[in-house]
Amino acid sequence: KQEVTQIPAALSVPEGENLVLNCSFTDSAIYNLQWFRQDPGKGLTSLLLIQSSQREQTSGRLNASLDKSSGRSTLYIAASQPGDSATYLCAVIFQGAQKLVFGQGTRLTINP
Amino acid sequence: NAGVMQNPRHLVRRRGQEARLRCSPMKGHSHVYWYRQLPEEGLKFMVYLQKENIIDESGMPKERFSAEFPKEGPSILRIQQVVRGDSAAYFCASSPWTSQGGGYTFGSGTRLTVV
């Protein structure tokens, strides 16, 4: 079964720290992987999209890596800020499918 | 570009009524996907449509739920005879071409409450 798992489910860190969110997927045959942010009661905002041929993508303080062989991706957030507090979702399009499969998300809280 | 537009943002229905959720994809996007997010859970795929065609409905409950994406107008997710368990946030996403390329854009969702 093609599944996506995110650990931890929740994370609370002081402002200014660098942090890493983890995502794992059960099948290394993927088209791409996407990280989203969801604020409470809101929709999803796309943060980074990594194609299967890529190893990482960067946008500002965010860096996402992809290791297909081990079925893992990480989202690195540098110099965290209270405004980064949100739920971060990892989603994968597996080969042979035409839909995003989501992890359960990591609820991140940055404490001032 | 207005993005993916969903309406209504909030919808309250009594048990047994019908709920109609609408989604207008981004301009130029011809692929639409519906997802459901139950309270404190992740997003679950429901259905994938192209204009006038249902491509994958493997995530749709077999009864009471239907979806369409007509040649003209928005995509509609229809829930007949709603029950309390249908209370959730329903999100629509669109993409410009085959979904393997990624580049999904999500709407703000419709929050359905069944009372």
Side-chain angles (χ1 to χ4, degrees):
Chain A
K1 188 177 180 183
Q2 294 170 330
E3 295 180 335
V4 178
T5 304
Q6 290 185 249
I7 295 173
L11 181 65
S12 181
V13 301
E15 181 178 3
E17 282 201 3
N18 303 324
L19 58 99
V20 174
L21 306 181
N22 297 294
C23 172
S24 61
F25 42 95
T26 54
D27 186 347
S28 61
I30 67 170
Y31 286 118
N32 57 62
L33 182 145
Q34 200 163 354
W35 282 93
F36 294 88
R37 167 185 173 139
Q38 184 177 28
D39 292 283
K42 305 291 185 182
L44 279 69
T45 301
S46 179
L47 298 174
L48 291 164
L49 169 66
I50 310 178
Q51 301 293 346
S52 62
S53 59
Q54 298 174 323
R55 295 297 301 272
E56 66 176 347
Q57 284 286 336
T58 298
S59 175
R61 294 182 293 108
L62 305 180
N63 175 277
S65 68
L66 174 64
D67 183 346
K68 280 194 310 179
S69 61
S70 65
R72 295 181 187 278
S73 174
T74 61
L75 179 66
Y76 175 82
I77 302 177
S80 58
Q81 304 170 359
D84 295 331
S85 297
T87 296
Y88 290 79
L89 296 164
C90 170
V92 171
I93 299 181
F94 292 99
Q95 289 191 15
Q98 299 186 78
K99 59 199 177 197
L100 279 169
V101 177
F102 281 86
Q104 295 289 88
T106 294
R107 186 181 307 156
L108 176 65
T109 303
I110 307 298
N111 301 303
Chain B
N1 193 333
V4 177
M5 303 301 293
Q6 289 189 251
N7 63 81
R9 292 292 302 274
H10 300 275
L11 181 62
V12 179
R13 284 288 178 266
R14 296 188 183 278
R15 281 178 294 172
Q17 290 185 321
E18 178 180 286
R20 280 183 179 244
L21 289 61
R22 288 177 291 276
C23 169
S24 296
M26 284 186 69
K27 187 176 181 180
H29 286 196
S30 58
H31 300 248
V32 167
Y33 314 83
W34 286 93
Y35 285 80
R36 177 166 65 175
Q37 186 175 37
L38 294 168
E40 304 302 321
E41 292 190 17
L43 278 82
K44 301 296 184 185
F45 169 79
M46 298 183 75
V47 62
Y48 162 37
L49 309 104
Q50 295 179 20
K51 285 283 187 182
E52 299 184 281
N53 284 302
I54 297 175
I55 307 302
D56 181 354
E57 56 181 349
S58 59
M60 287 276 274
K62 292 292 185 284
E63 298 179 350
R64 302 189 297 108
F65 285 72
S66 62
E68 63 176 6
F69 188 16
K71 186 177 180 181
E72 301 290 339
S75 174
I76 305 290
L77 179 67
R78 181 183 179 202
I79 310 172
Q80 295 178 292
Q81 299 175 330
V82 297
V83 301
R84 289 251 170 89
D86 297 332
S87 295
Y90 292 82
F91 290 96
C92 169
S94 71
S95 68
W97 45 73
T98 181
S99 57
Q100 290 88 347
Y104 284 60
T105 301
F106 278 80
S108 297
T110 293
R111 281 150 186 83
L112 172 66
T113 302
V114 179
V115 297

